[in-house]
Amino acid sequence: MKETIMLGTVEAPAAPASVEETRLDIGLLADLALKTLYFAGNAPGETLAAQMALPLQVTSEVLGLLRREQLCVVTGGAGISVGGLDYSLTTAGLERASSALSLNGYVGPAPVPLSEYFEAVQRQSIQSVEVTREEIEDSMSHLVLAQRTVDFIGQAVSAKKAMLIYGSSGNGKSTAAESLGQAFKGTILIPYAVEVMHQVIQIFDPSTHETVELPESTDRRMLDKRWVLIKRPLVFAAGELAASHLELVLDPVHKTYEAPIQMKANGGLLVIDDFGRQHLDAAYLLNRWIVPLEKGVDNLSLQNGARFQAPFDVVPIFVTNRQPADLADEAFLRRIRYKIEISPPTAENFTEIMKRECARNGIVYTDQAANYLLQEHFESVGRPLRGCHPRDILEAVAAAARYQGREPVLTPDAIDEACANYFA
């Protein structure tokens, strides 16, 4: 069993002491080193080791192979250690690097084997995370929702099952789904990249994953730097979601594979907003993920048609403005155990949202102003209440006051002007 180091509650792999301990083929590491040197031009061994996220002794083995095959040479540097010497590609090395880039353009931290990634996902599974009622309520405390609705959401999250949040637009469905990420506290380790059948798949995405600083007491030299510490992920996709986002994405120019969104979400939440408005059938999307959710594995394909299994450890949350029956037939909907409606706010909740938005915008709240807004612009014209209305209207009042160089005051005229600009 591979040695591990504890980072708080996270079990981190120890740095490999040899190429053999990386559990990677030395040919793959040699190609990665060649590609790294190809772009670096001339680099010290320690720089090469840092870019490949490998210990110097492992990099030394790889460079030794390249030198024996006359693919790189020492061009200078200080001392006799690998870290202090400068390396550059020979003509044969440049040709080999160019050939390697034509097949796979990945350059960066060395990957980890798929089997190690499986083990890490299982060890850090979101299914093993206990989320309390207090944590659920805290995560949504900035929203004004019926307690019954919050309880239903909490039950679904506690069960770690797929859920569908539906209802009219503007009542906080997307915000509620996104806020649940705050309830799943803690961190996990993910690899920068994974090796599958000699192909490299990028997992870490800086636009999706939020990195966490290692504890100050950590001896970084002892850690396998091919792994990065992140907060449990919250991956958010909306109407732009296409079938291609559910599969491995191969950049045809750079010849690099990028993991699909469900793979990036492993260990966390996967929120599909505007569900039913994507360019793919809702039933297809449900079927694509619900079965892997039940089995804990997903089936993916490389460009050459080779198929493999990847871990699937997410809690999917589907958010829609449509009624559940309009999305898919009953057989598919049964697979989504929890279907939670977020209804329009009551007048009481509308007023509570208004109080909070007044405080946020520096406006003095009065019951008189709230009653005027409700009576004149909702009840008298039969306009339904939406949770977003107080925020949008009060922000308009505050913006108008700033433009006019005065303090914002919630007068009937200010309310009328904001509503005239807001409601078509």
Side-chain angles (χ1 to χ4, degrees):
M1 184 176 177
K2 190 170 182 180
E3 183 183 351
T4 58
I5 299 167
M6 296 306 298
L7 297 176
T9 59
V10 178
E11 195 174 343
S18 64
V19 167
E20 182 181 5
E21 288 190 10
T22 68
R23 296 170 65 182
L24 296 171
D25 183 78
I26 192 169
L28 184 147
L29 292 176
D31 282 349
L32 182 59
L34 286 168
K35 291 184 287 186
T36 305
L37 280 173
Y38 181 89
F39 290 109
N42 188 57
E46 60 184 5
T47 298
L48 184 64
Q51 291 184 3
M52 294 174 63
L54 293 172
L56 202 53
Q57 62 266 34
V58 177
T59 309
S60 177
E61 285 188 59
V62 178
L63 287 171
L65 173 65
L66 297 183
R67 291 182 67 184
R68 288 193 300 273
E69 295 189 358
Q70 299 182 348
L71 298 174
C72 79
V73 293
V74 174
T75 57
I80 59 173
S81 69
V82 170
L85 296 176
D86 296 330
Y87 294 85
S88 184
L89 296 179
T90 62
T91 300
L94 287 168
E95 292 176 356
R96 171 80 175 269
S98 180
S99 176
L101 284 165
S102 69
L103 297 174
N104 188 310
Y106 176 80
V107 177
V112 304
L114 178 63
S115 58
E116 288 192 10
Y117 178 50
F118 254 109
E119 293 167 4
V121 171
Q122 292 168 355
R123 191 168 57 245
Q124 305 171 119
S125 174
I126 194 169
Q127 298 297 324
S128 63
V129 178
E130 294 296 331
V131 182
T132 66
R133 177 174 183 168
E134 289 73 21
E135 288 169 333
I136 293 293
E137 292 182 345
D138 285 347
S139 71
M140 292 189 290
S141 60
H142 59 295
L143 297 171
V144 180
L145 299 174
Q147 185 61 46
R148 182 179 175 82
T149 301
V150 175
D151 288 342
F152 280 152
I153 292 174
Q155 291 167 24
V157 170
S158 296
K160 314 298 190 317
K161 300 293 185 182
M163 76 178 87
L164 176 70
I165 299 178
Y166 69 97
S168 304
S169 62
N171 289 322
K173 300 184 305 298
S174 301
T175 304
E178 193 170 3
S179 299
L180 287 173
Q182 301 299 318
F184 287 86
K185 296 178 171 54
T187 56
I188 62 172
L189 279 168
I190 65 169
Y192 284 99
V194 170
E195 181 268 331
V196 180
M197 302 177 191
H198 295 282
Q199 296 296 315
V200 180
I201 301 169
Q202 296 182 74
I203 302 292
F204 175 69
D205 182 350
S207 67
T208 297
H209 299 126
E210 185 177 349
T211 59
V212 177
E213 287 293 327
L214 296 175
E216 292 185 5
S217 59
T218 304
D219 186 348
R220 288 165 171 76
R221 295 170 300 177
M222 301 293 292
L223 296 175
D224 189 340
K225 296 183 177 64
R226 294 176 296 168
W227 298 81
V228 57
L229 190 65
I230 65 166
K231 292 184 178 179
R232 286 194 176 271
L234 170 69
V235 177
F236 203 90
E240 75 281 358
L241 182 67
S244 60
H245 298 142
L246 315 184
E247 310 300 336
L248 287 177
V249 179
L250 177 64
D251 185 324
V253 176
H254 299 100
K255 298 291 192 299
T256 56
Y257 280 105
E258 183 177 354
I261 60 172
Q262 67 269 21
M263 203 169 177
K264 293 179 181 179
N266 272 332
L269 304 180
L270 178 57
V271 178
I272 307 302
D273 201 12
D274 288 332
F275 181 53
R277 296 182 181 273
Q278 285 77 22
H279 296 297
L280 64 165
D281 184 66
Y284 166 80
L285 187 57
L286 287 174
N287 191 48
R288 178 66 182 82
W289 282 336
I290 297 302
V291 173
L293 179 66
E294 293 170 351
K295 296 182 176 180
V297 294
D298 192 14
N299 292 296
L300 299 173
S301 298
L302 297 170
Q303 188 72 8
N304 61 11
R307 294 180 65 80
F308 66 95
Q309 288 190 327
F312 189 93
D313 181 56
V314 304
V315 175
I317 303 175
F318 303 98
V319 181
T320 183
N321 296 338
R322 299 169 63 182
Q323 289 296 306
D326 296 334
L327 294 169
D329 61 34
E330 184 181 353
F332 279 107
L333 290 175
R334 278 202 305 270
R335 289 177 167 175
I336 301 182
R337 302 284 185 85
Y338 294 87
K339 305 165 191 71
I340 302 156
E341 182 178 13
I342 294 188
S343 303
T346 62
E348 181 182 358
N349 284 348
F350 187 95
T351 301
E352 175 59 28
I353 298 171
M354 192 170 173
K355 289 178 181 177
R356 296 186 183 192
E357 291 300 324
C358 278
R360 191 172 66 86
N361 287 280
I363 302 173
V364 176
Y365 168 84
T366 65
D367 287 334
Q368 182 181 5
N371 292 334
Y372 178 83
L373 174 60
L374 284 167
Q375 176 61 39
E376 295 299 321
H377 295 281
F378 290 93
E379 294 174 9
S380 65
V381 295
R383 179 176 288 130
L385 300 177
R386 295 285 184 265
C388 63
H389 287 157
R391 176 199 65 197
D392 297 343
I393 293 169
L394 289 167
E395 284 182 353
V397 170
R402 284 196 302 272
Y403 177 73
Q404 295 167 6
R406 58 175 175 78
E407 290 295 315
V409 180
L410 211 52
T411 63
D413 287 344
I415 292 172
D416 291 343
E417 181 181 3
C419 290
N421 290 326
Y422 184 67
F423 294 114

